[in-house]
Amino acid sequence: MAADASSIESDAKRKDGVPSTGRPSAYGTDRWLMSQALTAARLGLGRTAPNPSVGAAIFNREHRRLIGRGTTAVGGRPHAEPMAIAAAGALSIGATMAVTLEPCSHHGRSPPCVDAIRDAKLARVIIGAVDPDPRVAGRGVDQLRASGIDVSFCDPDQAAEARWITRGHILRVTERRPLIQVKIAVGPDGRIAEGAAGQATWVTGTAARQRGHLMRAMADAILIGSRTAVADNPDLTCRLPGLADRSPIRVVVRDRALSQGTRLMATAGSVPTFRACSGSLSAAEEAAGVQRVHVPKVSGRLWLPTLMNALAALEVTRLLVEGGPSMWRSFAEASLIDEVVLFHARAGEDQPTARQAADEAIGHYLERTDLQLRDWRPIGGDDMFTYRKTEAQGWTERGSHA
Ligand code: AOF
Ligand code: ZN
C-alpha cells in the first residue's frame, strides 16, 4: 500500500504546539508512520493470543512512501516486523520502521526480530511500547543500538495508545491477568432491559449491536455470569459478516450446571466453552464438550482474581465481560475493570445522551470505580461512551516499575 508523503509534511506544519525536534517534516512523518503501525496492530486484536498483536510500518525516505506494513499473524507468528520487511523487500535498506512494541530479541518459536531488522539494513526504528516479557524487556532496544541502528521512542500520546493496544499482553506478563473490558447496553432510562424467558431484549440499535460484535471479535474470551446464561440463553459468538471465525472462547461463571438445550451447550463442541466453578461438571456438560476452570469460593462467591489468573494461563489476553449487573459489580468491587463501553439508547433521535446520564448509569451498575470518560460518540441512533482506568503509575518507558 503506497501513501504520499507530501500530505504528511503539510500536516506536520499545521500541528501547532507539537514539540519541535528541529526536523518538523521528519517529526510529522514519524507520527504518521507510527499511526500506520498502530492501525496495523489493531487489525490483529483477538487473533494472536497469547502473543500481542503488534503493528509495523516501514517508510523509505528516498521514495517518499510507505513500503511495507505488517501485523502479527493469526496465531501469533510470524511477528509483525518480518511481515513488514517481506512486503518492503530491498527498499528496506536505509529505511525507517515504526513498530508498536519493542522488537523481540529472544529465540522463541520464531527467530529474533532484531536480527531480521539488522539483516534488512533498516537505519531507524521508532518504538511504541517496551516489551515487559522478561525474555525481551529492553534487550531488543539495546541489541538494535549495538547494531548501529538509530532507536527512538514515539510521542507520549502515541506511546499511550501503543501500550493500550498491547495492554492485554502487558497485563498478562506483569499481573497474570487479561485486559478486562466490560460492555453495558442501556435504554433511554439508563437501565438494562431484563431478559425474559430465555430471550435477550435489545435496547440499542443495529449499529451499537454490531459494534458489540466487533468487540467480541477483538477479544480472546467472553465472560458472562450465571443469570445472563439463563435469562438470555446467549450464543456469545461474533455474527458480523466475514468475522464468524473470530468468535472467542466463552466463559460462564456459575456454580450450577448449564442446562441441556441451551445454545451454549448446543455449540460447546465447536466454540470452546468453559464453566468457572468450585465443583465439577455434570455428565451432560462433559458430553457436550464444556470444560471446567476451577475457582475457589470466598465468602460464598467465586473468587475472580483466581479466575483471571486461570484465564491468563489459558492464554487469554483480552477478556470481554458481557453480563450481567451482578457480574459487572463483582469486577468493579475487585478493581478488575480496565475499560467500560456503555451503549446508551437515546430518548429521541435528536436527543443525544448527556454525559451526566452516562455517568449515572455507570454509577448505578458499578457503584464505585476508578474509571474516567475517554471518548463519546454517536453510534447509529444511540451513543457510545468509553471509560478507562488510568494507567498504573510508575510504569516507565524502559518498562520497569519505578
Ligand atoms: C515482536 N513482534 O509481532 C510480536 C512480539 O513465542 P514467540 O517467539 O512468538 O515470542 C513471543 C513473544 O514475542 C511475546 O511474549 C512477546 O514478548 C513478543 N511478541 N514481538 O517482536 C511481534 N507479537
Ligand atoms: Zn519478534
Side-chain angles (χ1 to χ4, degrees), residues 48 50-55 71-73 75-82 99 101-114 131-136 169 172-173:
T48 61
N51 263 1
S53 176
V54 176
T71 303
T72 308
R77 289 167 212 93
H79 288 182
E81 300 90 324
V99 59
L101 183 69
E102 174 185 14
C104 67
S105 52
H106 66 287
H107 287 268
R109 281 198 264 166
S110 48
C113 288
V114 292
D131 188 351
D133 187 313
R135 296 170 296 175
V136 187
H169 166 69
R172 183 168 175 270
V173 169

Side-chain angles (χ1 to χ4, degrees), residues 296-303:
K297 269 185 158 175
V298 176
S299 307
R301 278 160 51 171
L302 294 166
W303 187 240

Side-chain angles (χ1 to χ4, degrees), residues 245-276:
D245 64 331
R246 294 182 61 171
S247 295
I249 68 169
R250 307 177 296 193
V251 182
V252 183
V253 182
R254 177 177 160 90
D255 232 8
R256 291 211 333 248
L258 292 169
S259 319
Q260 264 173 315
T262 55
R263 292 196 182 113
L264 287 171
M265 283 281 267
T267 52
S270 51
V271 184
T273 307
F274 292 82
R275 184 158 67 84

Side-chain angles (χ1 to χ4, degrees), residues 3-13 24-25 27-33 59 64:
D4 180 11
S6 56
S7 59
I8 308 157
E9 295 185 6
S10 58
D11 183 45
K13 282 182 200 128
S25 62
Y27 180 82
T29 308
D30 284 3
R31 273 192 72 83
W32 167 84
L33 194 59
F59 180 74
R64 301 173 69 75

